[in-house]
Amino acid sequence: MKSAFEAAQQYFDEAATVMDLSHSMRDLLVTPEREIKVQVPIKRDNGEIATFIGYRMQHNSARGPMKGGLRYHHEVNADEVLALASLMTWKTAVVDIPYGGAKGGISVNTKDLSLDELERLTRRFVDEIHDLFGPDKDIPAPDMGTNAQTMAWIMNQYEKFHGFAPACVTGKPVELYGAEGREEATGRGVGTLTLALLRKFGRSIESSTVAIQGFGNVGTFTASYLHKAGGKVVAISDVSGGVLNRAGIDIQAALDWVTEKKSLANFPGGDRITNEELLTLDVDVLIPAALGNVLTEDNAKDVRAKYIVEAANGPTTPEADTIFRQREISVLPDILANAGGVTVSYFEWVQNQQYFRWDLSRVREELERTMTRSFDKVWSIANEKKVPLRTAAYLLGIGRVSRATVLGGI
């Protein structure tokens, strides 16, 4: 299996070939502007010293300050972070918000640390890199293993060096200048574009069945949105396994169960299935909303969904993507499908820069407008160039970044 960066590079190369992009421009666009790797030592609650490694990859700033999540996970490494940083460059360009791409992370298992230890880890990481990010340089946001509380610590620590600067990070608690609707943004965006994709094929959500792998932040809000829109969500899953109910899962009951039990284990709303089985169910729409590389060369031939909407980052390997193209399964790529999060992060940043707050209805209205406008543009390019939606999205994103690069000069 290709590494995360190799997979991202392959998708980039396919679009660059269609564009007839020069090799010199390709090299410039794929090479990160800065790679940061720092030691992050902390004192544990028991008095011992623990040392972790932190990363921040700043990929491209041709279209504005760089933007990207910060993840805490024991498998975080430089290759993965660089791949995700490059995806952010194209993602922000696809939805046409004035950002470049970045990504960060700390290699740590958060389950091994107390809340106080996580706070010390976060603050020490900011100590190491505070001069390299900020409102007009690089704006972090929550990702896997981090949340609004983490962002609050980052803002507080950053402001000790630089003064009041709420725009230094997004995904903050609403009480600390966060945006209404930020928590739901990625899942709501996925839901919005699922409906848009079905409409392009003359389908309605009311007549469609949906399976969602992953019932964390993105999966829960996606499920809720589609359920309220009249869709039948027949399967959901998390790390404990999945649940299948052909009559449709009671999403509110599942949400209540997870809120109380912290997992879908033993949820009584359907039959137990594995995460692997969920991916090959006979449904109209499959939404991978968990980890990357879950759709591979090994299981792509068994996928029976007609449409795949990538809510997770990099859930489809290039080999699986080729098989889906051959089987005429439409894939809405991650750099468009899950861009709702960074879009509302942009709205939060705008509000922070203006010292003015939008209400939830305006956030939702602007999100839907931005996402559907971007989807329509990608759909148009795909039809015009006779290319898959993924290639069309890359054509749009790379085109915008390369033009900004040429206009700005070296």
Side-chain angles (χ1 to χ4, degrees):
M1 184 183 296
K2 288 182 171 66
S3 70
F5 185 70
E6 287 172 335
Q9 182 69 23
Q10 180 169 327
Y11 293 140
F12 172 89
D13 285 337
E14 288 177 4
T17 299
V18 174
M19 298 172 66
D20 196 25
L21 204 63
S22 69
H23 288 291
S24 57
M25 182 57 76
R26 292 190 194 198
D27 289 343
L28 179 61
L29 294 182
V30 301
T31 304
E33 294 181 12
R34 183 183 288 120
E35 300 185 33
I36 304 160
K37 179 180 179 181
V38 295
Q39 178 194 72
V40 192
I42 64 167
K43 181 175 286 188
R44 299 291 300 269
D45 292 340
N46 62 7
E48 293 181 357
I49 301 297
T51 303
F52 303 93
I53 300 298
Y55 303 91
R56 190 69 183 174
M57 299 295 184
Q58 297 175 329
H59 182 256
N60 188 283
S61 61
R63 300 184 67 255
M66 292 167 280
K67 188 81 181 76
L70 179 68
R71 62 175 49 184
Y72 290 177
H73 193 270
H74 62 280
E75 293 181 351
V76 163
N77 58 64
D79 180 85
E80 176 193 47
V81 176
L82 178 55
L84 294 170
S86 67
L87 288 175
M88 285 300 299
T89 296
W90 318 130
K91 183 182 297 185
T92 53
V94 167
V95 291
D96 202 18
I97 54 180
Y99 284 146
K103 204 75 175 186
I106 300 177
S107 182
V108 57
N109 188 338
T110 57
K111 295 178 181 177
D112 293 340
L113 300 186
S114 68
L115 189 64
D116 285 343
E117 289 170 336
L118 282 172
E119 179 177 355
R120 290 197 289 273
L121 180 74
T122 301
R123 291 182 182 278
R124 184 57 187 262
F125 184 55
V126 174
D127 289 347
E128 299 297 330
I129 70 167
H130 69 89
D131 282 330
L132 300 173
F133 78 98
D136 300 312
K137 295 180 182 177
D138 174 11
I139 307 104
D143 201 290
M144 187 187 307
T146 59
N147 54 27
Q149 176 62 77
T150 316
M151 300 304 110
W153 292 331
I154 291 175
M155 185 182 81
N156 181 268
Q157 194 69 11
Y158 180 88
E159 289 179 340
K160 291 178 181 178
F161 295 99
H162 301 278
F164 183 65
C168 72
V169 65
T170 60
K172 304 178 294 292
V174 173
E175 297 86 348
L176 283 178
Y177 316 104
E180 297 277 358
R182 174 60 185 85
E183 187 179 7
E184 70 177 28
T186 305
R188 191 175 184 86
V190 171
T192 298
L193 292 196
T194 299
L195 268 59
L197 181 67
L198 289 170
R199 283 195 296 268
K200 291 293 187 183
F201 285 98
R203 299 288 302 271
S204 69
I205 188 62
E206 291 87 357
S207 64
S208 302
T209 54
V210 181
I212 302 174
Q213 187 197 51
F215 208 62
N217 173 273
V218 179
T220 54
F221 281 109
T222 300
S224 296
Y225 184 92
L226 294 177
H227 180 69
K228 290 175 183 176
K232 185 186 290 185
V233 180
V234 300
I236 55 176
S237 70
D238 63 10
V239 293
S240 70
V243 180
L244 170 66
N245 186 335
R246 285 292 177 186
I249 292 172
D250 184 336
I251 297 300
Q252 188 57 55
L255 291 170
D256 293 342
W257 181 273
V258 169
T259 299
E260 180 182 352
K261 308 289 186 180
K262 308 305 180 187
S263 113
L264 280 170
N266 302 315
F267 174 61
D271 300 322
R272 298 300 298 179
I273 57 172
T274 66
N275 270 287
E276 292 72 22
E277 289 170 336
L278 182 145
L279 295 171
T280 59
L281 289 174
D282 184 12
V283 294
D284 296 304
V285 183
L286 172 63
I287 303 179
L291 296 173
N293 295 329
V294 295
L295 295 170
T296 67
E297 186 177 18
D298 294 332
N299 63 11
K301 62 183 180 301
D302 299 319
V303 170
R304 289 183 282 175
K306 303 175 184 68
Y307 315 102
I308 297 172
V309 180
E310 295 185 335
N313 286 316
T316 308
T317 67
E319 295 81 7
D321 201 52
T322 299
I323 294 172
F324 293 147
R325 294 180 190 184
Q326 293 168 347
R327 297 184 58 205
E328 298 184 347
I329 295 173
S330 293
V331 180
L332 192 63
D334 50 0
I335 64 167
L336 174 57
N338 67 22
V342 71
T343 299
V344 176
S345 274
Y346 165 61
F347 298 160
E348 179 179 335
W349 178 78
V350 167
Q351 293 169 73
N352 292 160
Q353 295 282 49
Q354 296 177 333
Y355 302 105
F356 182 81
R357 187 184 296 278
W358 300 359
D359 61 24
L360 180 59
S361 62
R362 181 177 179 185
V363 171
R364 287 176 169 177
E365 179 183 337
E366 294 284 353
L367 173 63
E368 182 173 352
R369 183 181 62 82
T370 300
M371 296 294 286
T372 52
R373 181 187 62 198
S374 302
F375 172 79
D376 288 340
K377 182 68 174 175
V378 169
W379 183 268
S380 177
I381 293 172
N383 286 328
E384 178 186 341
K385 301 288 187 182
K386 301 294 188 291
V387 295
L389 290 171
R390 188 187 308 280
T391 304
Y394 272 85
L395 288 173
L396 180 59
I398 294 169
R400 285 173 170 163
V401 176
S402 62
R403 282 192 295 276
T405 302
V406 171
L407 290 169
I410 302 301

